[in-house]
Amino acid sequence: MKKILLLILLCAGFATDEAFAQSKLITGKITTDKGDPVPFATVTVKNSKNGVASDAQGVFSIKATAGEVLVISSTGFTSKEITVGSDNNITVTLTQVSSELTTVVVTTALGIQRQAKDLGYATTTINNKTLTQAKSVNIQQALNGKISGVNISTVNSGVFENAKINIRGIRSLTGNNQPMLVVDGAPTPLGYLSSIPPDDVASLTVLKSAASAAIYGPDAVNGVIVITTKRGTNQQQPVVTFSSSLQATNVSFFPKFQKEFGAGAGETVDAYGNYLYVPYENQQYGPRFDGSIKDIGVPLEDGSIQSGPYTNDHYKDKVKFWNTGLTWQNSVSVAVKDMYVSFEDAKIKGLVPDDVNHRTSLRFNGGKDFGKLSVNYSLNYVLNNFDVVNEAGFQNSFPSAYDGGLFFLIMQTPSNVPLLQYKDLNSKFGQFSNYYNEFAVNPYWLIANIRTKGRSDNLIGNVTADYKLASWLKATVRLSSNLSFGSGKNTNAPVVVSDWAVANRNATQYSNRPGAELDYENSASVINFDYFLSGERDFAKDFSFKYVVGGSIRESRYKEVIAGGNNLLIPNFYNIGVRSGDAVVGANGISDYRLIGAYADLGFSYKGWASVGFTGRNDWDSRLVQENRSFFYPTVSAALVLSDAFPSLKNNNLLSYLKVFGNVSKSGNVNLAPYSLQVTYSQPAGFPYGNTGGFTTNNTYPNQNLKPEFVNGKEVGIELGFLKNRINLNATYFTQKNTNQVLQISQSWATGFPFGLANAADFKNYGVEGDITLSPLVNVGKGRIDFKMNATYNNNKVISTLNNSPVIIGGSAGFIQNSVGSPTINNIAVVGLPAFAFQMTDYLRDPMGRVIVDGVTGMPSLSPELVVKGRSLPLWVMGFTPSYSVGDFSISMTWEYKGGHDFYSGLGSDEDFAGISKRSIEYGRQRFVFPNSSVYVGPKNAAGIPTEEGMADPKNFVANTDIQVQDGNYGFWTGGSSNTLIATNYFSSAAAWRLREVNISYNLPLKWIGGGKFIKRITISAIGKNLLLIAPKSNQWGDPEFNYSTTGNTFGLGSSFQSPASRLYGGALTVQF
Amino acid sequence: MMKHFFFDKKLLLMIGLVLVLGSCRKSYLDINANPNLPTDENIVPELIFTQAAEATGAIHSPATWGFLDSWMGYIAANGDFARDQQQTSYNIDFSFSNGVWAAYYNTLFDLYQAKTKGLAKGDTAMAGAAMILSANLWQELVDAFGNIPYTDAFAVEGSPRPAYDEAKAIYESLQLTLDTAIEYMRTAPAPSFNFPATDIVNHGDQILWMKFANILKLRMLLRQSEVPGFDPSAELAKINNPENGGLPGPGESFSENPGYQNDVNKQNPTFASIGYTSAASPAKQSTSTGANIYITAILYSGLGGYGDPRTDRFWQLISGGVNANIYGDDPGNSYTGGSTSYYGPGLIGDPSNGVYTEGAKQDQWILPDYESLFMEAEAALRGWIDGDPQQLFETAVTRSFVFLKVPDAEVAAAAYIENTFFANWQQWQEWNGSSVESLADLIAIQKYIANCCIDPVESWNDEKRLNFLQLFSVEDTPLEYPIDQGFTYISANPSKISNTIPIRLLYPQSEYTTNSHVSDQGTINQFNSKLFWMP
């Protein structure tokens, strides 16, 4: 017994052996040369493993012995060394260099911190200040234009600000290309990125290459966004921060439209065949506005009819229809010893009237050291509530109407029509049955009656325990979990039409219909269990050795139930229980998979300036059959800090830093939904009929032998610092060969399966990215101007596909415009072309590329073959951030340019159909000679059709200079084969300059706020986002980044379901106590 | 140092933990069996058959072949809608036929699955039924496209790009398939397995299935009537062998009904396409289309100028008449949606209390009895089967009246036959001669009228074979109704690229992008690339 007691004492003594040293507690504050605190700086005792971080106020405390040297470093500052003297309370001033090249610590895979100079791969870290300066409502909006290699596309301007993120282009043709998100070391679904309040983020690191992320396994193949949230401070006194911002939203880019012609579609014509005015038309091919008083709509039941001047007085109504939105964010956080608590509330009212998204977040981060054991945990609860118009549900209520979204309804409004007057749905002319338009519904009715309302509850939590087994070895276990519960209800109000309208108006619009509703509930959980050993150890005098070995287990589960009812029996009461007929049951399902990984990471470094690292990982994935389930992939990387290796380099006045690095990596990925290996059967719509069930074979032929995809990456880079790191440059060349791509390939219907799955394609993706930081660019008296710039050139090329057949990634089959038909347009992967090119309808052209017109009618025709051209992803993405600061005043802005790519606007075709487009008045609605056209004069067969040989011979075509189209009005512009079905008409450059952010902020002088005793700091700022969008003239339609789908790999396919592009501007206030 | 490294107990513990977690890997990862959908391991083939039989019916609704209703002069777009440029100009592109191609192969594959899985468990009756339904679809596909993938079809592992078979060879193979199916039906014990409950077409009546097979065999023979030197005798011997079940008689229509109801997605497919929604508003196709002036004029010309009693069964009258539009006409110059005559109760069922709901529950036709009888009349006319062609013809016309539920159908039909020169065997012969060709045209004309919006495919194929519709445009045609100029089913669209309708469809875009064998078929022209049986 005594012996045991002795043993325990001995152990305890071991555990606290450092307590025997004559150390003392030193507290200090780290500030910038301007006196601002430097939060989260690293303070270490030189040549020891003893280190702490400063808190949000720059305050730290550390145990050290007199004579020891403290090294203080922080991202963006030159590090400083201070010898511990007698003073127990010190103030350290750091000089800002905005350099990421010096001894910066980067949070890498698994949350392990590494010195940036040791890394053989490219990373970018940005701090909280950069992230929050424009008070963006979510992180992806805040990252725009700031990081080389990162392309963020905002695909709609709605209240969700949906965005797609790609780091260094794409690595999978049809699978996931979005990066992995890691929050506080825990893998987290990327969707949370829009839920994490930017204020909670301490730092954000982007690991751009597979080499940097291989340890995370398959999900990291597209890069990783590593977020470290704020932690507690080291002092007892709490720091309270309150922040509030208010931003208004309005339309920043509206499609070009004509203001000269009113309604008419040829129902009535004059003696010369000119189209007369039709007061209830949705198509604007009527006569020119002439100022006379004209009817609007149809005579109502009481015989009255609305009338007004036939002018373009109300053209602005189409822009004014969109609301001034409002984004209001309030947050409060408390940082205290070992604990950080924050509460955030963001309310977003969109451009679309009545659309609202409301987010509330509560975070609780904490940690505690217990000798060798330390435990950290964080818990984040996010509640989202939204209530938005359900444009996609519109066609359920009007199945045969001119389908399309809200935008299309607005564009079907002639400019003499006082659209805004119809806002009151009870007013005489605003009520449903009396609406002027015979073929389009009052857009205000759509907003009020077809809605979706939902909420999601998200709980993200993780707990990490570290145990120091020895000075050179630490054991870590981390359990993290993301739970998400979503629920919502779509409601379609009954269409109630007066008896008079039923009897007298167009049945498509004016028929009574019962209400409908659809409920959904889903739950998702991802549970990760990571366990690893890590540490570092000096080998011999100059060698050090770092190592990680461990494993992870992940289980992802998803379940959804969808049920609803049509034919609701009680008006405006939306419950599945009050329907008649069968219930609607949606795609209910479960989707579970499991992944086990084992990995090791070894790094050697010599004298701190040469390092080499090896990583290997093996995965076992439940989504593949047993034989293919296990796959291994290695990585090797190296870095050389030449400026440290050759002191002669470092000590010259010009060059202060020079590093070269490179890596070769392979990483595997399973881009496959669970249960994809078997032929499945399902009941088609309608079944079961009572007791009679029936199943059809589903359309995809699966492949049992599917294997993982592999990304074979190479990367070389250089980092340079000049003039004591006032000028920093870095550049990285990367190339990735992506093999064994799992594709859903189209195959002949005659096989029974129009789609098949196969490891069927290879493509390469390559580019150069770089950053330039000039800090300061120039000093102006007390002020300074800084300048940052980043640029990415990224290209790719499809090397092979199965049988070299083109692969359609997505497109017009996925969206509906109007009932007359819309052009065929797809994103497509074609061997030899970039991923992705566009495939689309075009005019029939002669061998010289001129449009062939009919020799009599002058009309062009639709080519039976689709053309392939353009590219969907930008070749160039560039960001420019100049800033100026003087004293407590600072101003900064971020410009962004993307170019080299193209986009298609479905709204363009819809605009032409409606006769509202600027294009449609290019020839004053008169007959014209189709530009750059020709006429066929060659041989024809017995049926009068040009022969194939004839069509191939350029000699058979003569330039058309005088044959006008037979109808330069409705006939041409709404004709499918002459105009609206020709996708090339609505295809243009997607290049754009954007002023992404402007921030002007001012810290109130301390003397104004009582010398900082109670209130420590007040910052006020004016902010603007997406203030300008400058697009080439060829783009008449809208934001080229908008896309019909927020998921998947399609880009540059806009439709009329997206709202116009928007800008935000407003102000913010931050108070710190 | 290294010694310490290897013998650290805690390290060993951790490594042990990794190994333990790793070793339970196998069963832990076996969670990929689909919990959401049936797979080959658990699907019940009867369920596939029932669905495929329903799909075979649905394929014969205007949802699939609505464009043929337009091309054949049955329906026309109303003035509310912009002219469908592609359809009305006959300038069809490769995507025009995507829907037909996909629907047919999709259904044929399910029938193939029902056949193979049925045979695997010995259910020859169900397999035979699947073969008969598929022979029906295969023939229609061949008649529309010519050579198509057939032998290689549905062998996805071996032939992801199936080769094309000669149309004629497919016809021959289908005769053999039908012979086998008849044999299955003849020898399978009744009731066989669960077949009577599964069979939503003939409810397990195996004799009726044999008759269905025989009429399909006869239909293929008739299609080849104009092929020089064609000898149908070998197949006729089998059709005429009473052991094989014989041909369908009056009242023996082939249709299906899984239990249609008046609810979203659960309506009879024809009603869903040209009738009304479950909320009693006009269905999609009926809002954009309605009566064509061509068929209307023909209907008005029947029965001594008093009109065909079927007129108000095909169309809903407005102010006592049919408001019909000209196909391919300019929008705005004809009747709008609200004033165009909609599809009538013969097609979509009679209204109850003024609301059209009953048709939502009606059986979906696949091959109505009158159509079989018209074919039998022509076969008798050609001396291929026993029977009096005139009597079969008149029975067929009468059954059309019955099919459309004309009140007092037999009497009305008798009066119609008596008084309408293009329904009267004798009057027709006086005007057009008594040759087989002349009387075949008469049969085709009546079949054409009876098939209005029911089977435009048969009308199209008859026109391709016999070119009979031009008889209505002959100047001295003794039509009773004063038909003025423009009496044609040809589109009025000035941009049309031919004055004749297409005789075939182009292979769909999807074949050109997925199946290199389609290029072996050379360039297809929709007007002059003739099918093997066309004169």
Side-chain angles (χ1 to χ4, degrees), chain A residues 590 681 686 688 696-697 701 748, chain B residues 28 36 40 110 157 266 511 523:
Chain A
I590 294 169
Y681 298 82
T696 183
T697 319
Y701 184 70
S748 171
Chain B
Y28 180 75
N36 305 315
D40 278 327
D110 282 333
E157 279 288 3
K266 293 191 184 281
E511 279 296 288
T523 305

Side-chain angles (χ1 to χ4, degrees), chain B residues 344-375:
Chain B
L347 303 169
I348 60 170
D350 282 292
S352 129
N353 299 324
V355 186
Y356 286 86
T357 54
E358 292 306 301
K361 302 171 194 163
Q362 72 188 7
D363 294 355
Q364 173 60 48
W365 56 72
I366 299 171
L367 188 64
D369 63 344
Y370 68 80
E371 205 180 319
S372 299
L373 288 161
F374 279 121
M375 289 188 251

Side-chain angles (χ1 to χ4, degrees), chain A residues 228-299:
Chain A
T228 309
T229 58
K230 292 178 181 171
R231 316 299 302 187
T233 65
N234 295 323
Q235 52 184 352
Q236 295 296 342
Q237 196 193 1
V239 177
V240 180
T241 308
F242 169 77
S243 171
S244 179
S245 76
L246 190 63
Q247 295 177 81
T249 312
N250 65 13
V251 171
S252 68
F253 193 93
F254 202 80
K256 304 269 185 300
F257 61 95
Q258 62 95 357
K259 298 158 194 156
E260 294 174 34
F261 296 89
E267 289 91 337
T268 49
V269 291
D270 68 11
Y272 307 101
N274 296 317
Y275 282 15
L276 295 176
Y277 175 65
V278 180
Y280 53 80
E281 248 304 329
N282 62 326
Q283 289 180 291
Q284 295 151 56
Y285 287 94
R288 201 178 281 275
F289 290 124
D290 60 10
S292 62
I293 298 296
K294 280 195 162 34
D295 289 344
I296 295 170
V298 296

Side-chain angles (χ1 to χ4, degrees), chain A residues 156-217:
Chain A
N156 198 351
S157 60
V159 292
F160 303 113
E161 299 210 349
N162 304 103
K164 293 184 182 183
I165 303 176
N166 291 121
I167 298 175
R168 292 183 176 172
I170 59 170
R171 276 146 300 276
S172 179
L173 293 177
T174 57
N176 177 47
N177 280 305
Q178 302 221 65
M180 181 185 193
L181 175 64
V182 175
V183 181
D184 293 333
T188 306
L190 187 66
Y192 282 111
L193 196 56
S194 57
S195 303
I196 300 170
D199 276 340
D200 279 357
V201 177
S203 75
L204 181 150
T205 300
V206 177
L207 307 178
K208 296 175 189 175
S209 71
S212 56
I215 216 166
Y216 275 125

Side-chain angles (χ1 to χ4, degrees), chain A residues 43-156:
Chain A
V43 182
T44 52
V45 177
K46 201 171 182 181
N47 299 324
S48 87
K49 298 287 161 277
N50 185 11
V52 297
S54 69
D55 65 16
Q57 277 301 97
V59 175
F60 69 94
S61 50
I62 190 166
K63 280 177 185 161
T65 319
E68 280 187 325
V69 176
L70 297 181
V71 180
I72 294 113
S73 61
S74 180
T75 307
F77 295 90
T78 49
S79 59
K80 198 161 187 176
E81 299 189 354
I82 289 177
T83 308
V84 176
S86 58
D87 207 348
N88 290 347
N89 208 328
I90 57 175
T91 300
V92 185
T93 307
L94 294 185
T95 311
Q96 211 159 352
V97 291
S98 295
S99 165
E100 277 112 45
L101 311 184
T102 45
T103 51
V104 174
V105 172
V106 175
T107 306
T108 62
L110 300 170
I112 293 169
Q113 306 226 316
R114 285 276 159 88
Q115 301 247 304
K117 65 175 186 177
D118 287 354
L119 301 179
Y121 43 79
T123 64
T124 302
T125 298
I126 63 173
N127 59 21
N128 175 271
K129 193 181 169 197
T130 315
L131 203 61
T132 56
Q133 65 183 6
K135 294 292 169 196
S136 293
V137 75
N138 61 37
I139 291 170
Q140 59 264 50
Q141 296 302 332
L143 291 179
N144 266 317
K146 296 201 179 119
I147 302 177
S148 64
V150 178
N151 175 24
I152 298 168
S153 317
T154 305
V155 297
N156 198 351

